[in-house]
């Protein structure tokens, strides 16, 4: 029935609910199309709910370790003493057994290294490319055991070569900063900036492929400090924001945003213990009443002295076609990487894209108003309120009746009432 083949990773049964994980939003979208099209023996139609999930936790029990050893055996070239573990997440043998073993998880990488040390300590070549490995500390234990190891391929990973303390600080800084930036109150960012901090931003209007350059708010274009176009020294000086009060005021005037943190590419340059540069490239979605939701890309460079931003440079542009295809579909919830099937439940969220034009904008705003009303009446969060309304074609009364029935039966998950 599902038009796109998929692998149900970490398949679990919890009462009348089946929970499993899939890779990719396109797979999740294909599963959503099957919602309420499958009927069980009792006549109930299955509803598919999907939500973004972190990488699923795989229990490293004896059975999983056995499958991991079998996978490694299949990938080992005894003649060349080469173990090819590249793209382990796509291994066909593991897929057949519904196992997702991401080496980006430290415990998974440690398990692989332990098996190597116990079974093939004379390994000469190890290929771990394209596994999203982000920490190299686990390899220290191989030094004494695998003394013949000559090559270690870590290409196309996300390895960190900075000190663990600095790495932890940068990750924490990014998460906290963009959480506040995407919130309703950007004034809270004031504590992140130095009293004498400076900020400037520029917008690229050269990408006409999407036909949406004009969708950047006009006041942002007017303040865009692109030195290739702004030649006047007085204008250049005026567009450079000085002091945290002016910076936060400028940021507060930007449209509402939602950054896709899994799109982030981060580079760190520790100039001195007291000064580091953090460069972030990524994708975000921008919401305005006039144009709805637009997908953008950005590059942001922070100069940070101990715990404070001293310089902030932001570059904005329209997203590429590939970025729009991957991140452009949106609801108030993040894109999904997991799916759930239940006998009775609220359906999966719909896909809402921004569009121009008065008629489209009117429909968009009316739906947003209904979602807000429904959330206030049910005390559910926006994501689940949207799901329930979408299931019933935005018929408020019908959606409310189903909510009350499910809620009285205890079938509404606890996360529906979490902010």
């Amino acid at each position: 029935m599902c038009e796109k083949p998929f692998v149900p990773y970490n398949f679990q049964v919890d009462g009348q609910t089946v929970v499993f994980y899939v890779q990719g939003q396109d797979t999740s979208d294909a599963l959503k199309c099957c919602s309420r099209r499958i009927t069980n023996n009792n006549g109930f139609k299955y509803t598919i709910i999907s939500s973004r999930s972190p990488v699923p936790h795989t229990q490293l029990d004896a059975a999983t370790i056995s499958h991991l050893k079998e996978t490694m055996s299949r990938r080992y070239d005894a003649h060349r003493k080469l173990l090819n573990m590249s793209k382990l997440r796509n291994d066909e043998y593991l897929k057949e057994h519904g196992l997702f073993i991401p080496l980006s998880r430290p415990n998974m990488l440690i398990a692989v290294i332990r098996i190597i040390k116990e079974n093939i300590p004379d390994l000469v070549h190890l290929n771990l490319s394209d596994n999203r490995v982000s920490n190299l500390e686990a390899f220290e234990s191989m030094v004494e055991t695998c003394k013949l190891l000559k090559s270690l391929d870590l290409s196309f990973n996300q390895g960190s070569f900075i000190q663990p303390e600095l790495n932890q600080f940068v990750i924490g800084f990014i998460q906290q900063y963009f959480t506040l930036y995407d919130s309703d109150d950007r004034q809270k960012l004031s504590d992140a900036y130095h009293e004498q901090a400076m900020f400037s931003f520029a917008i690229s209007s050269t990408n006409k492929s999407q036909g949406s350059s004009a969708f950047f708010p006009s006041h942002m274009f007017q303040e865009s400090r692109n030195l290739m176009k702004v030649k006047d020294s007085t204008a250049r000086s005026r567009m450079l924001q000085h002091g945290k009060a002016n910076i936060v005021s400028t940021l507060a005037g930007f449209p509402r945003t939602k950054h896709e943190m899994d799109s982030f590419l981060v580079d760190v340059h520790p100039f001195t213990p007291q000064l580091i540069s953090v460069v972030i490239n990524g994708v975000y979605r921008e919401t305005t009443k006039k144009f709805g939701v637009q997908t953008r890309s950005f590059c942001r460079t922070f100069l940070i002295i101990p715990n404070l931003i001293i310089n902030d440079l932001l570059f904005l542009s329209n997203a590429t076609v590939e970025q729009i295809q991957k991140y452009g579909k949106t609801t108030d919830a993040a894109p999904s990487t997991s799916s759930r099937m239940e006998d009775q439940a609220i359906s999966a969220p719909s896909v809402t894209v921004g569009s121009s034009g008065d008629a489209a904008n009117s429909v968009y705003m009316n739906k947003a108003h209904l979602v807000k009303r429904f959330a206030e009446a049910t005390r559910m969060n926006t994501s689940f309120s949207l799901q329930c309304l979408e299931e019933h074609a935005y018929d408020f009364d019908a959606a409310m009746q189903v909510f009350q029935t499910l809620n009285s039966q205890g079938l509404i998950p606890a996360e529906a009432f979490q902010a």
Side-chain angles (χ1 to χ4, degrees):
M1 181 174 289
C2 184
E3 295 181 354
K4 185 176 179 62
F6 66 94
V7 177
Y9 292 105
N10 295 26
F11 189 91
Q12 303 172 50
V13 178
D14 182 10
Q16 294 183 328
T17 302
V18 172
V19 181
F20 59 90
Y21 299 81
V22 297
Q23 289 195 63
Q25 182 175 342
D26 54 346
T27 303
S28 179
D29 288 344
L31 282 168
K32 289 179 190 178
C33 294
C34 300
S35 183
R36 304 193 68 79
R37 293 171 57 191
I38 305 172
T39 305
N40 68 8
N41 295 332
N42 296 323
F44 287 109
K45 291 185 179 295
Y46 285 106
T47 299
I48 299 177
I49 297 177
S50 64
S51 62
R52 163 159 295 194
S53 169
V55 177
H57 176 74
T58 301
Q59 187 70 30
L60 283 173
D61 52 21
T64 303
I65 292 294
S66 176
H67 287 307
L68 180 57
K69 287 182 177 180
E70 175 63 23
T71 301
M72 295 172 67
S73 175
R74 292 167 178 250
R75 287 168 165 254
Y76 181 59
D77 183 341
H79 177 70
R80 300 168 57 194
K81 296 187 183 301
L82 182 151
L83 178 61
N84 182 2
M85 297 291 284
S86 63
K87 295 185 179 179
L88 185 64
R89 61 187 179 279
N90 294 330
D91 186 86
E92 292 299 327
Y93 174 81
L94 293 177
K95 284 183 178 181
E96 290 174 5
H97 291 82
L99 291 175
F100 187 67
I101 300 182
L103 296 187
S104 56
R105 285 279 176 88
N107 63 324
M108 299 295 178
L109 182 59
I110 290 172
V112 167
I113 292 175
R114 183 185 300 117
I115 293 172
I116 291 173
K117 290 162 59 179
E118 293 175 353
N119 296 274
I120 45 175
D122 57 345
L123 184 68
V124 176
H125 307 285
L126 176 59
N127 183 351
L128 289 170
S129 63
D130 200 0
N131 277 296
R132 301 173 183 170
V133 175
S134 60
N135 194 300
L136 307 181
E137 293 183 9
F139 297 100
E140 292 181 6
S141 65
M142 298 181 67
V143 174
E144 294 299 324
T145 305
C146 303
K147 296 183 178 180
L148 298 180
L149 186 64
K150 294 182 179 180
S151 68
L152 175 61
D153 188 347
L154 291 170
S155 59
F156 303 103
N157 278 295
Q158 301 169 342
S160 173
F161 296 92
I162 62 177
Q163 296 177 351
E165 296 81 6
L166 180 56
N167 188 56
Q168 185 176 4
F169 165 78
V170 171
I171 293 174
F173 164 78
I174 291 173
Q175 291 175 339
Q176 293 179 39
Y177 184 91
F178 286 99
T179 297
L180 289 175
Y181 192 93
D182 291 340
S183 71
D184 292 327
D185 185 11
R186 290 188 183 140
Q187 294 294 332
K188 294 178 181 179
L189 289 171
S190 178
D191 293 338
Y193 287 90
H194 190 275
E195 287 287 352
Q196 301 176 12
M198 291 188 294
F199 168 75
S200 68
F201 72 95
I203 297 175
S204 170
S205 59
T206 58
N207 182 5
K208 303 293 185 180
S209 62
Q210 311 307 320
S212 60
S213 292
F215 287 177
F216 276 102
S218 59
H219 75 277
M220 293 183 67
F221 265 122
Q222 293 169 4
E223 296 299 322
S224 173
R225 192 172 182 266
N226 185 342
L227 300 187
M228 297 296 293
K229 295 185 177 182
V230 181
K231 305 295 185 180
D232 181 72
S233 59
T234 302
R236 287 183 175 185
S237 178
R238 178 181 58 80
M239 293 176 176
L240 184 62
Q241 303 297 322
H242 295 268
K244 67 178 184 180
N246 290 331
I247 293 172
V248 174
S249 176
T250 299
L251 297 178
F254 288 177
R256 182 76 181 272
T257 57
K258 176 64 174 70
H259 285 77
E260 290 290 344
M261 292 195 187
D262 64 348
S263 73
F264 285 12
L265 295 176
V266 182
D267 196 6
V268 178
H269 303 278
F271 294 113
T272 71
Q274 289 76 38
L275 177 65
I276 63 172
S277 170
V278 180
V279 182
I280 307 166
N281 289 273
V283 176
Y284 71 97
R285 297 191 297 272
E286 174 186 285
T287 303
T288 61
K289 290 184 178 180
K290 185 175 182 180
F291 300 118
V293 181
Q294 300 292 326
T295 305
R296 313 290 194 195
S297 67
F298 76 97
C299 177
R300 196 156 195 169
T301 303
F302 294 103
L303 283 181
I304 304 174
I305 60 176
N307 300 319
L308 290 172
I309 301 168
I310 193 66
N311 193 287
D312 181 2
L313 175 62
L314 174 62
F315 176 77
L316 305 173
S317 66
N318 288 303
T320 64
V321 173
E322 292 77 12
Q323 289 171 329
I324 292 175
Q325 289 174 342
K326 186 171 184 179
Y327 299 104
K329 295 180 179 180
T330 174
T331 67
D332 289 341
S336 64
T337 54
S338 67
S339 295
R340 180 184 298 170
M341 300 176 68
E342 300 181 357
D343 283 347
Q344 294 185 13
I346 304 170
S347 70
S350 67
V351 173
T352 304
V353 296
S355 59
S356 60
D358 294 339
N361 188 52
S362 176
V363 172
Y364 174 83
M365 294 305 296
N366 184 51
K367 288 184 177 181
H369 177 67
L370 285 174
V371 172
K372 182 179 180 181
R373 278 184 55 206
F374 198 82
E376 291 174 348
T378 62
R379 298 186 181 277
M380 291 199 302
N381 56 41
T382 303
S383 175
F384 276 81
S385 297
L386 175 64
Q387 293 178 26
C388 195
L389 285 168
E390 188 68 29
E391 167 71 7
H392 298 89
Y394 286 89
D395 185 327
F396 190 94
D397 294 335
M400 180 60 70
Q401 183 177 357
V402 171
F403 165 79
Q404 291 172 346
T405 300
L406 295 178
N407 194 36
S408 66
Q409 297 174 2
L411 295 177
I412 305 293
E415 55 265 29
F417 301 98
Q418 297 174 356

